[in-house]
Amino acid sequence: MIKIQNVKKSFRGNVALQDLSLQVNKGEILGLLGANGAGKTTTINLLLGFVAPDQGSLHINELDVRNNTAEVRQRVGYIPENVNLYEYLSGLENLDYFCRLAGLKYSRSELAGFLDTTGLEGAAHDKKVAEYSKGMRQKVGIAIAYAKKATVYLLDEPASGLDPLASNELSGILRKLADEGAAILMASHDIFRVREVCDRIGILRSGQLIQELAAADVTANELEKLYLKFMKS
Amino acid sequence: MWQIIVNEWQYYFRSRLLFSISAGFIIVLVLTVILGQYQSGIQKDKYVNATDHLRGQWEKIEAMNPHSAAHYGTYLFKPGGLLNSLDDGINTVTGNVLRVEGHVQNEIVYSEASQIKSVSRFGRLRSSLLLQYIVPLLLIFLAFASISNEKESGRLRLLLVQGAKLSQIIFGKILSAWLYGLSLLLLVFAAYLLLNIDSLTSATLIRSFFFFVAYALYYFVICGLTVYLSARWQNATLALTSMLAIWILWTIFLPAILISYSEAAYPLPSRDQFKTAMKEDRAKGIDGHNPLDARNKELQEKVLAEYGVDSLSQLPINYDGLRMQADEDYGNIVWDKHFGNIREILTQQKRMIQLAGIFNPFLSLRNASMGFAGSDNLHHHDFLLQAENYRRVFIKTLNDEHAYGGSKTGDWGWKADNAFFKSVPAYQHKPRDIGAIVQSYALDLGLLLLWTVVIFALMLTSTPRMKII
């Protein structure tokens, strides 16, 4: 579970987040919509412990992020906009390396199983990542988080630059992870993808959560209108 | 951390560019060791042959006046140590051949640089050149982007989320690059040891060990500083530029500046000044109150009194031998005084250069490398001292024979026989005591170790404050 309470964060006088509070429960996907500079990535960096809040608290699975950064990171799967893997390693080798860093040793078949779960074709497992498309890299990124048995996933623009098919596959994977009990926070610009995959949607503007609603309560078109209205106002 | 090192090495092996550069460089390194060994071998053979030839000529002297033999003299050749093939230090510019004769202490001549134009212009390609200049450059190019690339690509965050600590990543990268440097170093040593397997002694192995340690410490400093700058700066170009500037400063500018400064602080007399001062002291007396004529008169009176006779013609011995030896003894005192002064100045210069290692670890490496290879100024002066000591024994043996061999004063036609000439001992060079060498270069090794500790401490203290995003 992810819990953010009254968090404020500024960088050299520029306010990035103002009194942000939100919660993502187990089995739930929360989509954070917002323009560039709205505070989406800062929220994720705060949850990963890369920056400290000026005020407020952040908890992941009841653990305070600031005081338990290492333990929190053990439970979190992080998928950035661009999963930059080691190009001289294959997808399988990358997965193995990142798992070993997390103290996890899997057999080849187990590693292949994780990649299969994310939909990466078996023929691609042993190819060098240099030959991978962005979507394939994202899948390896998800496999890294999945193999870690993460209970919380933080995704920063995960579908950016993906083709529609890859983007659709990603949605399916995220839904599956949530159905298995993961709490997922996904920052995105993609209104339609967020509407499709998330349970709840939050709209961030200038570091403030100005609207939170259930995805089921709005259509994609309504969400787009609402989003544009907030952005223009 | 082990995982990080293994991953880095996978990159070293799988990057075609790096693999090609490494393979090419390894070939050059091994060829340089073989070439160095070959050249040292040729030089050693030449010296052995020349020494044998000269000794053979000496032992073939059937009959000759000992004083004529003292002018006939002999030549001594500066022996090359086994490790000279890795680092020839100052050997190419100092002479290798010393003529030993009566009355004068000759200068060492026939340096390699004076004989071979290419050596005088470009120096000789030795392993030390590659190990001191090129390997550190390779390590800089290997490590400058190690952390900045991870930062720029955002992969550093992924690594940290996976549980790796920033300090582990940084030390993993340092150790990976350092092990690469050590591998090249080990390769050089493996090739060198294989080529010299029959000639290795415990002293050579100890020298090799410290030689290796000095380079290993320096490589750690280079790798540590490069990775530190890579982590400190936000982009790789800045890290590379900073490290190259340090490399240029350490290897080109600071050595030249510090050496010039030490020469200005402790100036050596010019060759002319040195020779003139020696000549004057020998003729007029060291303190200007004991000229040659007075010394002769005093000796003559002493010898006549000792034998209880009134004139030189009554002496049962040849006074000329005693007089010449007395002149030699006085010359030796003069030489000791002036050579001692030079040695003292050189020692002060060396100490200053050694202390400059506080600012520049490259100087410490170069000092230790030459020192343990036996191609530094200390070894050179040790040879000059041993050669001079031999000259004294050699000339004294000849003068004693002239005095006590059976001739009378003024009998310049008298000749010693072949048995005597055969009995004159040949020059035997004694290698410097390894304990003394270690002591001489403990400061350089200590400063390299200090740099290593400082780099280590810098990492430990700065890592928690480093920006990740």
Side-chain angles (χ1 to χ4, degrees), chain A residues 86-135:
Chain A
Y86 293 100
E87 304 225 326
Y88 51 89
L89 300 178
S90 68
L92 199 106
E93 287 171 333
N94 264 291
L95 177 59
D96 185 34
Y97 174 59
F98 280 98
C99 285
R100 283 173 187 270
L101 284 182
L104 302 164
K105 287 178 189 171
Y106 291 115
S107 66
R108 186 184 159 78
S109 60
E110 286 172 317
L111 293 168
F114 294 128
L115 291 174
D116 288 338
T117 307
T118 63
L120 189 73
E121 287 178 14
H125 291 187
D126 292 318
K127 279 187 181 171
K128 294 276 181 295
V129 164
E131 298 174 38
Y132 278 23
S133 66
K134 187 178 176 191

Short mmCIF file of all heavy atoms in Angstrom, two decimals, chain A residues 86-135:
data_model
loop_
_atom_site.label_atom_id
_atom_site.label_comp_id
_atom_site.label_asym_id
_atom_site.label_seq_id
_atom_site.Cartn_x
_atom_site.Cartn_y
_atom_site.Cartn_z
N TYR A 86 21.52 -2.97 -19.77
CA TYR A 86 22.89 -3.10 -20.31
C TYR A 86 22.80 -3.74 -21.69
O TYR A 86 22.37 -4.89 -21.82
CB TYR A 86 23.75 -3.93 -19.35
CG TYR A 86 23.98 -3.21 -18.05
CD1 TYR A 86 23.24 -3.53 -16.91
CD2 TYR A 86 24.92 -2.20 -17.95
CE1 TYR A 86 23.44 -2.86 -15.71
CE2 TYR A 86 25.12 -1.52 -16.76
CZ TYR A 86 24.37 -1.85 -15.65
OH TYR A 86 24.57 -1.18 -14.46
N GLU A 87 23.23 -2.98 -22.68
CA GLU A 87 23.02 -3.41 -24.07
C GLU A 87 23.87 -4.61 -24.46
O GLU A 87 23.54 -5.31 -25.40
CB GLU A 87 23.32 -2.25 -25.01
CG GLU A 87 22.47 -1.02 -24.68
CD GLU A 87 21.85 -0.36 -25.89
OE1 GLU A 87 22.50 -0.37 -26.93
OE2 GLU A 87 20.73 0.16 -25.76
N TYR A 88 24.96 -4.81 -23.75
CA TYR A 88 25.84 -5.94 -24.09
C TYR A 88 25.36 -7.25 -23.46
O TYR A 88 25.96 -8.30 -23.68
CB TYR A 88 27.29 -5.65 -23.69
CG TYR A 88 27.43 -5.19 -22.25
CD1 TYR A 88 27.60 -6.10 -21.23
CD2 TYR A 88 27.37 -3.84 -21.94
CE1 TYR A 88 27.71 -5.68 -19.92
CE2 TYR A 88 27.47 -3.41 -20.63
CZ TYR A 88 27.64 -4.34 -19.62
OH TYR A 88 27.75 -3.91 -18.31
N LEU A 89 24.32 -7.16 -22.64
CA LEU A 89 23.74 -8.37 -22.04
C LEU A 89 22.42 -8.69 -22.74
O LEU A 89 21.77 -7.81 -23.29
CB LEU A 89 23.47 -8.15 -20.55
CG LEU A 89 24.65 -7.82 -19.63
CD1 LEU A 89 24.16 -7.61 -18.21
CD2 LEU A 89 25.69 -8.93 -19.66
N SER A 90 22.03 -9.94 -22.68
CA SER A 90 20.72 -10.32 -23.22
C SER A 90 19.64 -9.92 -22.21
O SER A 90 19.96 -9.54 -21.07
CB SER A 90 20.68 -11.82 -23.46
OG SER A 90 20.71 -12.50 -22.22
N GLY A 91 18.40 -10.04 -22.62
CA GLY A 91 17.29 -9.74 -21.70
C GLY A 91 17.36 -10.62 -20.47
O GLY A 91 17.20 -10.15 -19.34
N LEU A 92 17.65 -11.88 -20.71
CA LEU A 92 17.72 -12.83 -19.60
C LEU A 92 18.88 -12.50 -18.66
O LEU A 92 18.75 -12.56 -17.43
CB LEU A 92 17.89 -14.25 -20.17
CG LEU A 92 17.53 -15.35 -19.20
CD1 LEU A 92 16.21 -15.98 -19.60
CD2 LEU A 92 18.61 -16.42 -19.18
N GLU A 93 20.01 -12.13 -19.25
CA GLU A 93 21.18 -11.79 -18.43
C GLU A 93 20.94 -10.52 -17.63
O GLU A 93 21.37 -10.40 -16.48
CB GLU A 93 22.42 -11.61 -19.33
CG GLU A 93 22.96 -12.92 -19.85
CD GLU A 93 24.04 -12.74 -20.91
OE1 GLU A 93 24.03 -11.70 -21.61
OE2 GLU A 93 24.86 -13.65 -21.07
N ASN A 94 20.28 -9.55 -18.27
CA ASN A 94 19.93 -8.33 -17.54
C ASN A 94 19.06 -8.65 -16.34
O ASN A 94 19.30 -8.17 -15.23
CB ASN A 94 19.20 -7.35 -18.46
CG ASN A 94 20.12 -6.32 -19.08
OD1 ASN A 94 20.64 -5.46 -18.39
ND2 ASN A 94 20.36 -6.44 -20.37
N LEU A 95 18.04 -9.47 -16.58
CA LEU A 95 17.12 -9.85 -15.51
C LEU A 95 17.90 -10.55 -14.38
O LEU A 95 17.72 -10.24 -13.20
CB LEU A 95 16.02 -10.77 -16.06
CG LEU A 95 15.02 -11.31 -15.06
CD1 LEU A 95 14.30 -10.20 -14.33
CD2 LEU A 95 14.00 -12.23 -15.76
N ASP A 96 18.78 -11.46 -14.79
CA ASP A 96 19.58 -12.20 -13.80
C ASP A 96 20.43 -11.24 -12.97
O ASP A 96 20.49 -11.33 -11.74
CB ASP A 96 20.47 -13.21 -14.54
CG ASP A 96 21.23 -14.10 -13.58
OD1 ASP A 96 20.67 -14.42 -12.51
OD2 ASP A 96 22.38 -14.48 -13.88
N TYR A 97 21.08 -10.28 -13.66
CA TYR A 97 21.95 -9.32 -12.97
C TYR A 97 21.16 -8.48 -11.96
O TYR A 97 21.55 -8.35 -10.79
CB TYR A 97 22.65 -8.43 -13.99
CG TYR A 97 23.46 -7.32 -13.38
CD1 TYR A 97 24.51 -7.60 -12.50
CD2 TYR A 97 23.20 -5.99 -13.67
CE1 TYR A 97 25.26 -6.59 -11.93
CE2 TYR A 97 23.95 -4.97 -13.11
CZ TYR A 97 24.97 -5.28 -12.24
OH TYR A 97 25.72 -4.27 -11.67
N PHE A 98 20.05 -7.93 -12.41
CA PHE A 98 19.27 -7.07 -11.50
C PHE A 98 18.68 -7.88 -10.34
O PHE A 98 18.57 -7.36 -9.23
CB PHE A 98 18.18 -6.33 -12.28
CG PHE A 98 18.70 -5.13 -13.02
CD1 PHE A 98 19.01 -5.20 -14.37
CD2 PHE A 98 18.91 -3.94 -12.35
CE1 PHE A 98 19.52 -4.10 -15.04
CE2 PHE A 98 19.41 -2.82 -13.01
CZ PHE A 98 19.73 -2.90 -14.37
N CYS A 99 18.34 -9.14 -10.61
CA CYS A 99 17.84 -9.99 -9.52
C CYS A 99 18.94 -10.26 -8.50
O CYS A 99 18.72 -10.23 -7.29
CB CYS A 99 17.33 -11.32 -10.08
SG CYS A 99 15.75 -11.15 -10.90
N ARG A 100 20.13 -10.53 -9.02
CA ARG A 100 21.26 -10.81 -8.11
C ARG A 100 21.58 -9.59 -7.24
O ARG A 100 21.96 -9.74 -6.09
CB ARG A 100 22.50 -11.25 -8.90
CG ARG A 100 22.40 -12.69 -9.37
CD ARG A 100 23.54 -13.05 -10.29
NE ARG A 100 23.34 -14.37 -10.86
CZ ARG A 100 23.77 -15.50 -10.32
NH1 ARG A 100 24.44 -15.47 -9.19
NH2 ARG A 100 23.55 -16.66 -10.89
N LEU A 101 21.45 -8.41 -7.82
CA LEU A 101 21.66 -7.20 -7.02
C LEU A 101 20.67 -7.12 -5.87
O LEU A 101 20.98 -6.61 -4.79
CB LEU A 101 21.51 -5.94 -7.89
CG LEU A 101 22.64 -5.59 -8.84
CD1 LEU A 101 22.32 -4.30 -9.57
CD2 LEU A 101 23.97 -5.43 -8.09
N ALA A 102 19.48 -7.67 -6.13
CA ALA A 102 18.45 -7.67 -5.08
C ALA A 102 18.61 -8.87 -4.15
O ALA A 102 17.78 -9.09 -3.26
CB ALA A 102 17.07 -7.69 -5.73
N GLY A 103 19.68 -9.64 -4.38
CA GLY A 103 19.95 -10.80 -3.53
C GLY A 103 19.13 -12.02 -3.92
O GLY A 103 18.97 -12.97 -3.14
N LEU A 104 18.62 -12.04 -5.16
CA LEU A 104 17.78 -13.16 -5.61
C LEU A 104 18.52 -13.96 -6.68
O LEU A 104 19.00 -13.39 -7.65
CB LEU A 104 16.47 -12.62 -6.19
CG LEU A 104 15.63 -11.74 -5.25
CD1 LEU A 104 14.58 -10.97 -6.03
CD2 LEU A 104 14.97 -12.61 -4.18
N LYS A 105 18.59 -15.25 -6.45
CA LYS A 105 19.25 -16.11 -7.44
C LYS A 105 18.21 -17.06 -8.03
O LYS A 105 17.65 -17.89 -7.30
CB LYS A 105 20.38 -16.91 -6.80
CG LYS A 105 21.58 -16.05 -6.49
CD LYS A 105 22.67 -16.85 -5.82
CE LYS A 105 23.77 -15.91 -5.33
NZ LYS A 105 24.75 -16.60 -4.49
N TYR A 106 17.96 -16.92 -9.31
CA TYR A 106 16.97 -17.77 -9.98
C TYR A 106 17.66 -18.64 -11.01
O TYR A 106 18.70 -18.27 -11.56
CB TYR A 106 15.94 -16.89 -10.68
CG TYR A 106 15.03 -16.12 -9.75
CD1 TYR A 106 15.06 -14.74 -9.70
CD2 TYR A 106 14.12 -16.78 -8.92
CE1 TYR A 106 14.22 -14.01 -8.87
CE2 TYR A 106 13.27 -16.07 -8.07
CZ TYR A 106 13.33 -14.69 -8.05
OH TYR A 106 12.51 -13.98 -7.22
N SER A 107 17.01 -19.78 -11.26
CA SER A 107 17.53 -20.64 -12.33
C SER A 107 17.16 -20.02 -13.67
O SER A 107 16.30 -19.12 -13.73
CB SER A 107 16.92 -22.03 -12.22
OG SER A 107 15.53 -21.95 -12.49
N ARG A 108 17.78 -20.52 -14.69
CA ARG A 108 17.51 -19.99 -16.04
C ARG A 108 16.03 -20.13 -16.39
O ARG A 108 15.42 -19.22 -16.96
CB ARG A 108 18.39 -20.76 -17.04
CG ARG A 108 18.32 -20.22 -18.42
CD ARG A 108 19.11 -21.04 -19.41
NE ARG A 108 18.60 -20.77 -20.75
CZ ARG A 108 18.89 -19.69 -21.45
NH1 ARG A 108 19.72 -18.81 -20.96
NH2 ARG A 108 18.37 -19.49 -22.64
N SER A 109 15.46 -21.29 -16.03
CA SER A 109 14.05 -21.51 -16.39
C SER A 109 13.13 -20.56 -15.60
O SER A 109 12.12 -20.09 -16.12
CB SER A 109 13.66 -22.96 -16.16
OG SER A 109 13.83 -23.29 -14.80
N GLU A 110 13.51 -20.28 -14.35
CA GLU A 110 12.70 -19.35 -13.57
C GLU A 110 12.77 -17.94 -14.17
O GLU A 110 11.75 -17.24 -14.28
CB GLU A 110 13.20 -19.30 -12.12
CG GLU A 110 12.82 -20.54 -11.32
CD GLU A 110 13.48 -20.57 -9.95
OE1 GLU A 110 14.70 -20.24 -9.87
OE2 GLU A 110 12.81 -20.94 -8.97
N LEU A 111 13.98 -17.55 -14.58
CA LEU A 111 14.14 -16.23 -15.20
C LEU A 111 13.34 -16.14 -16.49
O LEU A 111 12.66 -15.15 -16.75
CB LEU A 111 15.63 -15.96 -15.48
CG LEU A 111 16.53 -15.80 -14.26
CD1 LEU A 111 18.01 -15.84 -14.67
CD2 LEU A 111 16.25 -14.48 -13.54
N ALA A 112 13.42 -17.22 -17.27
CA ALA A 112 12.66 -17.25 -18.53
C ALA A 112 11.17 -17.16 -18.22
O ALA A 112 10.41 -16.50 -18.96
CB ALA A 112 12.98 -18.52 -19.29
N GLY A 113 10.75 -17.78 -17.13
CA GLY A 113 9.34 -17.74 -16.72
C GLY A 113 8.88 -16.31 -16.43
O GLY A 113 7.79 -15.91 -16.85
N PHE A 114 9.74 -15.53 -15.76
CA PHE A 114 9.39 -14.14 -15.47
C PHE A 114 9.23 -13.33 -16.76
O PHE A 114 8.32 -12.52 -16.90
CB PHE A 114 10.44 -13.48 -14.58
CG PHE A 114 10.52 -14.05 -13.19
CD1 PHE A 114 11.72 -14.49 -12.66
CD2 PHE A 114 9.38 -14.17 -12.41
CE1 PHE A 114 11.80 -15.03 -11.39
CE2 PHE A 114 9.45 -14.70 -11.13
CZ PHE A 114 10.65 -15.14 -10.62
N LEU A 115 10.16 -13.58 -17.69
CA LEU A 115 10.09 -12.86 -18.97
C LEU A 115 8.84 -13.27 -19.74
O LEU A 115 8.18 -12.43 -20.38
CB LEU A 115 11.35 -13.12 -19.79
CG LEU A 115 12.64 -12.51 -19.24
CD1 LEU A 115 13.86 -12.95 -20.04
CD2 LEU A 115 12.57 -10.97 -19.24
N ASP A 116 8.53 -14.57 -19.66
CA ASP A 116 7.31 -15.05 -20.33
C ASP A 116 6.08 -14.35 -19.76
O ASP A 116 5.16 -13.97 -20.49
CB ASP A 116 7.17 -16.57 -20.15
CG ASP A 116 8.20 -17.33 -20.98
OD1 ASP A 116 8.69 -16.75 -21.96
OD2 ASP A 116 8.51 -18.48 -20.62
N THR A 117 6.09 -14.19 -18.43
CA THR A 117 4.93 -13.55 -17.76
C THR A 117 4.66 -12.16 -18.32
O THR A 117 3.53 -11.73 -18.42
CB THR A 117 5.22 -13.46 -16.24
OG1 THR A 117 5.56 -14.74 -15.78
CG2 THR A 117 4.00 -12.94 -15.48
N THR A 118 5.77 -11.46 -18.65
CA THR A 118 5.59 -10.09 -19.16
C THR A 118 5.30 -10.08 -20.66
O THR A 118 5.12 -9.01 -21.24
CB THR A 118 6.86 -9.26 -18.91
OG1 THR A 118 7.93 -9.83 -19.65
CG2 THR A 118 7.22 -9.20 -17.45
N GLY A 119 5.29 -11.26 -21.24
CA GLY A 119 4.96 -11.34 -22.67
C GLY A 119 6.15 -11.21 -23.60
O GLY A 119 5.97 -11.05 -24.80
N LEU A 120 7.36 -11.28 -23.06
CA LEU A 120 8.53 -11.21 -23.95
C LEU A 120 8.74 -12.59 -24.58
O LEU A 120 8.87 -13.59 -23.86
CB LEU A 120 9.79 -10.82 -23.15
CG LEU A 120 11.02 -10.52 -23.99
CD1 LEU A 120 10.87 -9.18 -24.71
CD2 LEU A 120 12.28 -10.48 -23.13
N GLU A 121 8.76 -12.61 -25.87
CA GLU A 121 8.85 -13.89 -26.59
C GLU A 121 10.14 -14.63 -26.25
O GLU A 121 11.19 -14.02 -26.05
CB GLU A 121 8.81 -13.64 -28.10
CG GLU A 121 7.44 -13.24 -28.58
CD GLU A 121 7.42 -12.95 -30.08
OE1 GLU A 121 8.39 -13.32 -30.77
OE2 GLU A 121 6.43 -12.35 -30.52
N GLY A 122 10.02 -15.94 -26.19
CA GLY A 122 11.17 -16.78 -25.82
C GLY A 122 12.38 -16.58 -26.71
O GLY A 122 13.52 -16.60 -26.24
N ALA A 123 12.12 -16.32 -28.00
CA ALA A 123 13.23 -16.14 -28.95
C ALA A 123 14.06 -14.91 -28.62
O ALA A 123 15.23 -14.82 -29.00
CB ALA A 123 12.68 -16.02 -30.37
N ALA A 124 13.46 -13.99 -27.89
CA ALA A 124 14.16 -12.73 -27.59
C ALA A 124 14.97 -12.82 -26.30
O ALA A 124 15.82 -11.95 -26.04
CB ALA A 124 13.16 -11.59 -27.48
N HIS A 125 14.72 -13.84 -25.51
CA HIS A 125 15.36 -13.92 -24.18
C HIS A 125 16.89 -13.82 -24.26
O HIS A 125 17.52 -13.19 -23.42
CB HIS A 125 15.00 -15.22 -23.48
CG HIS A 125 13.55 -15.27 -23.07
ND1 HIS A 125 13.02 -16.27 -22.31
CD2 HIS A 125 12.51 -14.44 -23.32
CE1 HIS A 125 11.73 -16.07 -22.10
NE2 HIS A 125 11.40 -14.95 -22.72
N ASP A 126 17.46 -14.49 -25.24
CA ASP A 126 18.93 -14.56 -25.30
C ASP A 126 19.53 -13.57 -26.30
O ASP A 126 20.74 -13.60 -26.55
CB ASP A 126 19.37 -15.98 -25.64
CG ASP A 126 19.06 -16.93 -24.49
OD1 ASP A 126 19.30 -16.54 -23.33
OD2 ASP A 126 18.53 -18.02 -24.74
N LYS A 127 18.69 -12.73 -26.85
CA LYS A 127 19.24 -11.71 -27.76
C LYS A 127 19.78 -10.54 -26.94
O LYS A 127 19.26 -10.25 -25.86
CB LYS A 127 18.13 -11.17 -28.68
CG LYS A 127 17.85 -12.05 -29.87
CD LYS A 127 16.86 -11.34 -30.79
CE LYS A 127 16.53 -12.22 -31.98
NZ LYS A 127 15.41 -11.65 -32.76
N LYS A 128 20.78 -9.90 -27.48
CA LYS A 128 21.32 -8.72 -26.79
C LYS A 128 20.26 -7.63 -26.74
O LYS A 128 19.51 -7.43 -27.72
CB LYS A 128 22.54 -8.18 -27.56
CG LYS A 128 23.73 -9.14 -27.56
CD LYS A 128 24.54 -9.01 -26.30
CE LYS A 128 25.74 -9.94 -26.31
NZ LYS A 128 25.39 -11.38 -26.30
N VAL A 129 20.22 -6.92 -25.64
CA VAL A 129 19.22 -5.87 -25.45
C VAL A 129 19.38 -4.77 -26.51
O VAL A 129 18.41 -4.07 -26.83
CB VAL A 129 19.32 -5.32 -24.01
CG1 VAL A 129 18.60 -4.00 -23.87
CG2 VAL A 129 18.70 -6.32 -23.05
N ALA A 130 20.60 -4.64 -27.05
CA ALA A 130 20.83 -3.64 -28.09
C ALA A 130 19.87 -3.84 -29.26
O ALA A 130 19.55 -2.90 -29.98
CB ALA A 130 22.28 -3.73 -28.57
N GLU A 131 19.40 -5.08 -29.42
CA GLU A 131 18.49 -5.38 -30.54
C GLU A 131 17.02 -5.23 -30.14
O GLU A 131 16.14 -5.47 -30.96
CB GLU A 131 18.73 -6.83 -31.02
CG GLU A 131 20.13 -7.09 -31.54
CD GLU A 131 20.35 -8.56 -31.85
OE1 GLU A 131 19.42 -9.23 -32.34
OE2 GLU A 131 21.45 -9.05 -31.54
N TYR A 132 16.76 -4.87 -28.90
CA TYR A 132 15.37 -4.81 -28.41
C TYR A 132 14.69 -3.51 -28.80
O TYR A 132 15.32 -2.45 -28.87
CB TYR A 132 15.35 -4.89 -26.87
CG TYR A 132 15.45 -6.28 -26.28
CD1 TYR A 132 16.00 -7.33 -26.99
CD2 TYR A 132 14.99 -6.52 -24.99
CE1 TYR A 132 16.10 -8.59 -26.43
CE2 TYR A 132 15.09 -7.78 -24.42
CZ TYR A 132 15.65 -8.81 -25.14
OH TYR A 132 15.75 -10.04 -24.58
N SER A 133 13.36 -3.59 -28.96
CA SER A 133 12.56 -2.39 -29.12
C SER A 133 12.31 -1.80 -27.73
O SER A 133 12.59 -2.47 -26.72
CB SER A 133 11.22 -2.72 -29.78
OG SER A 133 10.46 -3.53 -28.90
N LYS A 134 11.74 -0.61 -27.70
CA LYS A 134 11.47 -0.01 -26.41
C LYS A 134 10.48 -0.84 -25.60
O LYS A 134 10.62 -1.01 -24.39
CB LYS A 134 10.94 1.42 -26.59
CG LYS A 134 10.81 2.11 -25.25
CD LYS A 134 10.35 3.52 -25.35
CE LYS A 134 10.19 4.04 -23.92
NZ LYS A 134 9.52 5.30 -23.86
N GLY A 135 9.47 -1.37 -26.30
CA GLY A 135 8.47 -2.18 -25.62
C GLY A 135 9.08 -3.42 -24.99
O GLY A 135 8.72 -3.80 -23.86
#
